[in-house]
Amino acid sequence: MPIRAAPGLRPDREPAGAWRSSVAAALLVCALSACSSILRQPPPPADTTIGLAVLGVPNGRFWPDGSPDDLMQEALLAASRQAERFPASRRGPERLPPQNLLAVSGGGDNGAYGAGLIVGWTASGNRPEFDVVTGISAGALIAPFAFLGSAYDGQLREVFTANAPGDILVLPGIFRTVIGAAFGEAIADTSPLYRLIQRHADMAMLDAIAREYRRGRLLLIGTTNLDLQRPVVWNIGAIAASGHPDALSLFRRILLASASIPGAFPPVLIDVESDGRTYQEMHVDGGAATQVFLYPPSLQLARIVRQNRLARDRTVWVIRNGRMDVEGATTARGVFSIATRSVSTLLHFSGIGDINRIYLTALRDGVAFRLSYIDSAFRADRSGPFDQGFMQALFEHGYEKGRAERGWVTEPPSVTSLPPSVAPAAAVGNLATRRMAAPTARTPLPADAAGRPASTSLPVERAPEP
């Protein structure tokens, strides 16, 4: 069954400042023209969508805002497969090794931080094998490499440091921005990003994911079903292990969809079948629903562990590809400036709320919590979205924190305001640039801090700032 990509524009590139002005003009035209739409096949009926098995894989995806039963069953099956890896004399719960769960957030080009942290973690010699890896947006592009281990560190480094902006997206001129907003479905064209995904997300990677799935490990990627306005969690291992001829294409489309910022990047249309008819679901950035995820609070892990005798040490590692601090800036008195600044504030605290939810859920279930994020010590100039020099500097910052075994806190810190020298010089622009915003200078890295988590030798920090 083919997986269809939504059409996108292929405009010429211009500087990021001109693009921000273009978006403002485009939004005005969009409002005046009532945003004409492009034809597409209808989505499946809402009451049947939840039960649809894409590519015929019944456990190929989950709805984390609904009943947790399917996800719980998948977790139990994974635990059973893990138990088979140990001799009979070692299958008692007290003999199972510690379990590590990794959640990687979105963040645009700030994803270079998480990529560097993971590669540096390998260099420290203390990076664990993750039993569960989840990813959203930029985190979705990191997740497969983190899931498959250090053998893929070279590719992870390449994705986040060796590509120029034009290797990821094409930004339009003002005329095409206006036309795209009024009559298209996105401002930018992400064909270069899809080619980048194709180059790395190949059949060898899919086969490797399938092998790890059979060992009891889970790779979960989040998108947003825009038709239903609901988050979707894709079970990449089950899709990979299905043997379906379109599994690789679907895997690539899921990665692209998870990173497709609504309005800025084209959505991804995924064909599904119901009662002999073909429908199309529209999927966009998973960050439209949640910035980072692990498992829903409705999944009572502590109770499941007790009932199924699955007690073991567990640690959840959360990587926020962004700051916890707020970035001060002067907001101009204009509709566009006020609206975009408000959206950036909404997104920032949505991400913090997601982290707090994971923390409180872990605390309830007796799971150790660790968090790493971009701290105020990092400062680097950036000329625009996906500036290669900026991403290389941020990757190295994350790498050094991972290699030197520092940078993890045991609870979410309080939100503070960055000093003027750290905050951006100009107000944040549109939704896309907000999610890729970063500070503007560079200072030395902070000193090591004390404290070690129970299930690993990596030290953690207990102060609010790494």
Side-chain angles (χ1 to χ4, degrees):
M1 180 167 50
I3 309 301
R4 299 181 185 173
L9 300 175
R10 295 178 178 273
D12 296 328
R13 283 168 280 179
E14 286 193 0
W19 191 50
R20 287 194 289 269
S21 300
S22 300
V23 173
L27 291 177
L28 178 60
V29 172
C30 182
L32 295 176
S33 66
C35 296
S36 301
S37 61
I38 298 173
L39 293 178
R40 53 162 286 193
Q41 293 186 38
D47 59 348
T48 65
T49 300
I50 305 303
L52 291 180
V54 181
L55 298 188
V57 183
N59 59 338
R61 64 181 182 180
F62 309 104
W63 303 85
D65 58 341
S67 170
D69 291 348
D70 290 341
L71 186 57
M72 179 182 69
Q73 184 62 31
E74 185 69 18
L76 290 174
L77 290 174
S80 176
R81 291 194 296 272
Q82 281 196 352
E84 294 299 322
R85 291 158 49 189
F86 300 95
S89 61
R90 298 182 57 205
R91 288 181 189 171
E94 70 282 357
R95 297 289 185 177
L96 290 176
Q99 188 175 48
N100 291 279
L101 305 91
L102 175 68
V104 190
S105 83
D109 54 6
N110 281 336
Y113 172 76
L117 184 74
I118 289 171
V119 176
W121 202 348
T122 298
S124 76
N126 292 313
R127 172 179 163 185
E129 178 182 80
F130 301 108
D131 300 273
V132 178
V133 177
T134 74
I136 284 278
S137 194
L141 302 181
I142 296 172
F145 301 105
F147 180 75
L148 293 176
S150 60
Y152 283 77
D153 281 0
Q155 293 188 53
L156 180 58
R157 178 189 289 271
E158 178 185 341
V159 168
F160 283 90
T161 65
N163 293 285
D167 298 321
I168 299 172
L169 76 165
V170 181
L171 302 180
I174 186 168
F175 175 75
R176 291 186 178 181
T177 296
V178 172
I179 296 300
F183 305 106
E185 58 186 353
I187 303 304
D189 170 30
T190 52
S191 295
L193 175 59
Y194 187 63
R195 289 192 292 270
L196 181 65
I197 291 172
Q198 284 181 309
R199 189 161 68 248
H200 293 279
D202 55 15
M203 201 64 213
M205 172 179 276
L206 195 69
D207 289 341
I209 292 171
R211 286 193 299 271
E212 295 306 312
Y213 175 74
R214 296 186 186 101
R215 295 177 64 232
R217 301 175 62 217
L218 299 177
L219 173 60
L220 307 173
I221 301 297
T223 66
T224 301
N225 183 315
L226 206 56
D227 298 313
L228 291 185
Q229 294 184 310
R230 295 184 64 177
V232 182
V233 172
W234 296 88
N235 189 359
I236 303 301
I239 293 170
S242 70
H244 195 285
D246 288 327
L248 178 59
S249 178
L250 177 59
F251 174 41
R252 291 168 171 170
R253 305 310 304 174
I254 291 169
L255 294 180
L256 182 64
S258 187
S260 295
I261 302 170
F265 300 161
V268 173
L269 296 176
I270 296 180
D271 288 355
V272 296
E273 292 183 356
S274 177
D275 296 328
R277 292 189 58 187
T278 298
Y279 299 93
Q280 286 184 325
E281 297 178 348
M282 180 177 286
H283 288 259
V284 297
D285 193 336
T290 183
Q291 305 294 308
V292 62
F293 74 98
L294 187 59
Y295 60 88
S298 57
L299 195 156
Q300 301 283 336
L301 180 62
R303 185 176 64 190
I304 295 170
V305 166
R306 288 194 303 270
Q307 292 175 345
N308 295 275
R309 302 183 62 192
L310 295 173
R312 61 198 296 190
D313 291 334
R314 290 178 172 85
T315 301
V316 53
W317 306 86
V318 180
I319 298 176
R320 174 169 167 80
N321 289 306
R323 298 187 179 278
M324 299 294 287
D325 317 285
V326 292
E327 300 174 343
T330 300
T331 305
R333 295 183 62 181
V335 172
F336 180 72
S337 296
I338 294 171
T340 54
R341 187 67 173 166
S342 298
V343 169
S344 74
T345 304
L346 172 66
L347 289 172
H348 182 84
F349 285 96
S350 170
I352 290 177
D354 292 333
I355 290 172
N356 287 330
R357 183 188 68 249
I358 294 175
Y359 169 70
L360 293 174
T361 303
L363 193 66
R364 179 199 69 185
D365 292 334
V367 178
F369 176 88
R370 305 291 179 256
L371 167 69
S372 186
Y373 55 93
I374 302 174
D375 56 89
S376 60
F378 175 74
R379 311 180 187 184
D381 296 325
R382 65 194 298 272
S383 60
F386 298 99
D387 175 80
Q388 190 173 7
F390 167 80
M391 294 180 69
Q392 290 171 344
L394 185 54
F395 181 96
E396 290 303 321
H397 179 69
Y399 178 89
E400 287 303 321
K401 289 176 69 174
R403 184 186 62 82
E405 303 184 321
R406 62 169 178 256
W408 297 97
V409 297
T410 58
E411 61 184 26
S414 300
V415 175
T416 60
S417 296
L418 293 173
S421 61
V422 178
V428 176
N430 53 64
L431 170 63
T433 55
R434 157 63 187 87
R435 296 188 61 184
M436 299 181 285
T440 57
R442 195 175 188 184
T443 57
L445 302 181
D448 290 346
R452 292 177 181 269
S455 63
T456 179
S457 59
L458 281 176
V460 297
E461 299 179 356
R462 303 184 185 277
E465 279 290 333

